[in-house]
Amino acid sequence: MNRSPASVIRWLFDSAVGASDRLIPRWIFLRALGLIYFSAFYALVFQIRGLIGPDGILPAGEYLDAVTRQFGQARFWFAPTVLWLSSGGHMLAAMCWVGMIASVLLVLNVWPRATLLICFVCYLSFVAAAQDFSGYQSDGMLLEAGFISLFFAPAGLWPGSGRSSPPSRASLFLLQWEWFRIYFESGVVKLASGDIEWRNFTAMDEYYQNGPLPTWVGWYVQHLPHSIHAFATGATLVLELGLVFMLFLPRRWRIACFCIVTLWQIPVILTANYTFLNYLVLVLGFLLLDDRFVLRFMPERWKERLVPQETIVQSAGPQPDAERAEIALPDKRPKPVAAFRLALASVMLIWIFYATTVQMIWILLPHAPFPVSPVGALEPFRIANRYGLFAVMTRGRYEIEFQGSDDGQNWIPYPFRYKPQNLAERPRIYAPYQPRFDWNLWFASFGSWRENIIVPSTEERLLDGAPDVLALFAGNPFPQAPPKQVRAVLWQYWFTTMAEKRATGMWWRRKLLGLYAPVLEREADGKVVVVEWPEPLAPHL
């Protein structure tokens, strides 16, 4: 192989000489990525007006006005969103529908680079303007994977398997690198946090009950003996801090790693509703495979359509690893347009690798002297992130409930669509659908209402009878007119025991802890006043 700098750059970043043995894993990954994008936009269609619409909980227009006042011309970099053009309800709905259409076309393998760009722009536009409703690591994971996939996807309107433009090695590695970091950084923060639950192997004892949106499968799993939960805790740490390093080992080790982590993700998906997060991590794992392995499980009629004949022949018997093969690069230089694309890919992918690597090092060495500017410049775009799931396990399950009253004495709760509330209702499996309002209330329950503006803002919208916000609930207990007063109370929930479940049929039991946020009332002149302030609640983290 020619090892001149120009040849090395082309070998890493040019799809014309890319990894031709990864066509099928790429094809599978991009179809799955399209489905994940679709699930994200589909969920937003039903929620986005209530979340950030003009009459929503956190209106995007008001937020963008505040960004303009603070940042001036730099506002477009700080908040990269098409909602600068308009943040009205029709624009929000159109953005979601355009994203859904593009994601369907991506699933159908129609002009994947263009549809990926549309999906990325639409989703980033929501994330950049959604404020508290887009603070999830899953959003960063999807945007990072979506952006890198712009350089990973094949060119052309109907590319098929993309034989003429195999994935560049750098883009393939960065997607694998994201997969690795999600696991490894999550393992590191578990130890770095000093959380006693992980050190005592009790982290999984109430994990299934205390997560954002439990499932009925998780209810049964939580009632297993402690020894099984302790094993799951230890296995999680071993997988995240050890097994994922098999990514960097020869082919057989990578395939073994894929099999282990894929099987691991299945019970995680069944026992907790983590939206599309686990589905994305699962499909990223397919990039550990190569064509030779996947071909063994494919019907004969599909093989010739997806991969070259020589790859099919190789899959029939043992062959040397593709990484060991010497690659002869064409001598001709790329044309100006191709040279520009190569330069752009090189700069962006190196930049992302630097930003993600430095952030990982900072977890271990917080004061390591690396330049901060390249990392901060990418932060608004969420394409180079630091991850760390479940660094500290929650010690209980708390639920905020909104209630309305016409007399200040008799209170009627607003029914939620997804959160636990009805003690007799079986916890359901919603993922990859993401109910962001319900999710945010789970996070808010661990802090004060002063730190979570969505709670008093929701109270005000309920006093107004705002249709878009009411649509976030399962029903409106005041269909004739909004209530005179609205309040938010805090409950603690527990799974029932097996005996309680058999005796009562209840999945949950709960205890009222008190008033969470101020009781609000709208006076005749339209002014909102506080009727009662909440007493400080005991710490409940």
Side-chain angles (χ1 to χ4, degrees):
M1 177 180 175
N2 183 356
R3 298 187 183 277
S4 67
S7 296
V8 171
I9 290 175
R10 290 197 62 201
W11 187 78
L12 286 172
F13 300 100
D14 192 350
S15 65
V17 289
S20 58
D21 63 333
R22 303 300 180 99
L23 301 182
I24 301 177
R26 177 178 68 176
W27 189 93
I28 295 173
F29 171 76
L30 292 177
R31 306 293 76 74
L33 184 61
L35 291 173
I36 292 170
Y37 262 130
F38 180 85
S39 73
F41 288 117
Y42 177 80
L44 286 178
V45 162
F46 300 101
Q47 305 174 59
I48 194 166
R49 293 191 185 198
L51 299 178
I52 63 172
D55 298 317
I57 298 171
L58 298 177
E62 296 179 8
Y63 171 71
L64 295 178
D65 289 341
V67 171
T68 299
R69 290 192 296 270
Q70 182 170 354
F71 293 96
Q73 293 299 321
R75 65 186 184 276
F76 300 114
W77 187 273
F78 179 84
T81 173
V82 298
L83 297 181
W84 286 112
L85 302 174
S86 170
S87 58
H90 294 302
M91 181 64 172
L92 294 172
M95 185 175 70
C96 295
W97 280 102
V98 169
M100 276 202 297
I101 293 170
S103 62
V104 170
L105 292 176
L106 177 59
V107 172
L108 298 176
N109 203 18
V110 178
W111 205 1
R113 290 185 179 178
T115 52
L116 276 167
L117 179 61
I118 294 171
C119 287
F120 177 81
V121 170
C122 290
Y123 199 67
L124 176 62
S125 294
F126 165 75
V127 169
Q131 307 150 79
D132 292 352
F133 291 115
S134 63
Y136 310 122
Q137 295 188 52
S138 55
D139 291 327
M141 293 176 190
L142 181 54
L143 286 172
E144 183 175 336
F147 184 80
I148 297 171
S149 294
L150 293 171
F151 305 94
F152 183 67
L157 184 62
W158 302 95
S161 64
R163 298 185 193 183
S164 60
S165 58
S168 69
R169 291 173 177 82
S171 62
L172 171 62
F173 172 75
L174 279 182
L175 289 169
Q176 294 173 333
W177 180 237
E178 180 182 357
W179 173 90
F180 170 81
R181 287 169 25 245
I182 291 171
Y183 281 109
F184 180 67
E185 292 177 2
S186 296
V188 170
V189 298
K190 289 177 175 61
L191 299 184
S193 69
D195 184 18
I196 194 172
E197 300 283 349
W198 289 106
R199 302 195 176 197
N200 291 345
F201 289 85
T202 57
M204 307 299 289
D205 285 7
E206 296 185 351
Y207 152 83
Y208 308 98
Q209 165 191 279
N210 295 341
L213 292 173
T215 72
W216 64 270
V217 179
W219 188 95
Y220 286 103
V221 173
Q222 178 149 321
H223 290 87
L224 295 175
H226 166 71
S227 57
I228 295 179
H229 297 316
F231 172 80
T233 302
T236 298
L237 295 173
V238 169
L239 186 149
E240 293 179 344
L241 295 171
L243 284 176
V244 292
F245 279 92
M246 295 166 70
L247 166 67
F248 306 106
L249 298 179
R251 176 176 179 270
R252 291 184 178 180
W253 292 92
R254 293 197 305 272
I255 293 174
C257 182
F258 164 81
C259 295
I260 295 171
V261 297
T262 299
L263 291 175
W264 185 262
Q265 284 297 331
I266 293 174
V268 176
I269 290 172
L270 292 176
T271 57
N273 286 294
Y274 293 125
T275 69
F276 55 77
L277 187 155
N278 295 102
Y279 291 92
L280 179 58
V281 176
L282 188 150
V283 299
L284 282 168
F286 275 84
L287 300 180
L288 276 66
L289 306 177
D290 57 22
D291 293 345
R292 287 168 47 201
F293 178 80
V294 180
L295 278 171
R296 299 176 182 178
F297 305 96
M298 291 183 63
E300 288 293 332
R301 64 180 183 276
W302 291 6
K303 293 182 179 181
E304 291 187 7
R305 296 173 56 186
L306 291 177
V307 295
Q309 181 65 31
E310 56 267 24
T311 305
I312 299 175
V313 173
Q314 289 178 2
S315 68
Q319 296 288 331
D321 279 1
E323 294 94 341
R324 301 177 187 172
E326 293 293 327
I327 300 176
L329 300 180
D331 292 332
K332 62 179 182 180
R333 297 180 180 178
K335 296 179 180 180
V337 174
F340 173 78
R341 291 175 179 170
L342 179 61
L344 178 63
S346 303
V347 170
M348 291 307 306
L349 297 182
I350 290 173
W351 192 353
I352 291 173
F353 179 68
Y354 170 82
T356 54
T357 303
V358 166
Q359 290 184 82
M360 185 173 69
I361 294 173
W362 281 338
I363 298 177
L364 301 169
L365 302 170
H367 303 293
F370 291 100
V372 177
S373 298
V375 179
L378 293 181
E379 186 174 347
F381 301 91
R382 303 284 290 275
I383 58 176
N385 306 288
R386 179 166 66 180
Y387 303 113
L389 303 170
F390 299 105
V392 176
M393 302 301 287
T394 55
R395 275 27 176 216
R397 170 164 208 91
Y398 304 93
E399 294 290 353
I400 297 170
E401 182 179 72
F402 295 97
Q403 300 175 345
S405 175
D406 286 326
D407 57 12
Q409 300 297 322
N410 301 294
W411 296 91
I412 304 175
Y414 284 82
F416 290 109
R417 290 183 180 273
Y418 306 99
K419 280 161 52 69
Q421 189 174 28
N422 182 350
L423 305 183
E425 184 177 359
R426 184 180 73 168
R428 291 173 287 170
I429 298 176
Y430 310 108
Y433 187 92
Q434 182 172 18
R436 291 177 182 265
F437 177 58
D438 301 62
W439 260 66
N440 270 67
L441 289 176
W442 178 80
F443 285 104
S445 70
F446 297 108
S448 163
W449 67 271
R450 298 180 185 275
E451 303 164 346
N452 296 280
I453 190 64
I454 66 167
V455 176
S457 179
T458 300
E459 289 183 317
E460 288 192 50
R461 295 294 184 265
L462 294 178
L463 283 175
D464 295 336
D468 291 336
V469 174
L470 286 168
L472 298 173
F473 293 87
N476 179 10
F478 299 91
Q480 303 303 323
K484 297 185 182 303
Q485 295 181 8
V486 171
R487 70 179 185 179
V489 297
L490 187 68
W491 298 87
Q492 183 169 4
Y493 276 67
W494 298 269
F495 279 155
T496 53
T497 64
M498 287 284 193
E500 290 171 332
K501 174 70 168 58
R502 285 193 294 267
T504 66
M506 300 295 181
W507 294 84
W508 297 96
R509 58 187 178 89
R510 68 179 185 174
K511 175 185 177 182
L512 181 63
L513 299 182
L515 192 63
Y516 176 83
V519 180
L520 300 186
E521 180 179 272
R522 187 174 296 281
E523 297 184 332
D525 61 358
K527 183 179 179 181
V528 175
V529 298
V530 176
V531 176
E532 180 183 354
W533 293 94
E535 296 291 333
L537 294 171
H540 52 276
L541 283 177

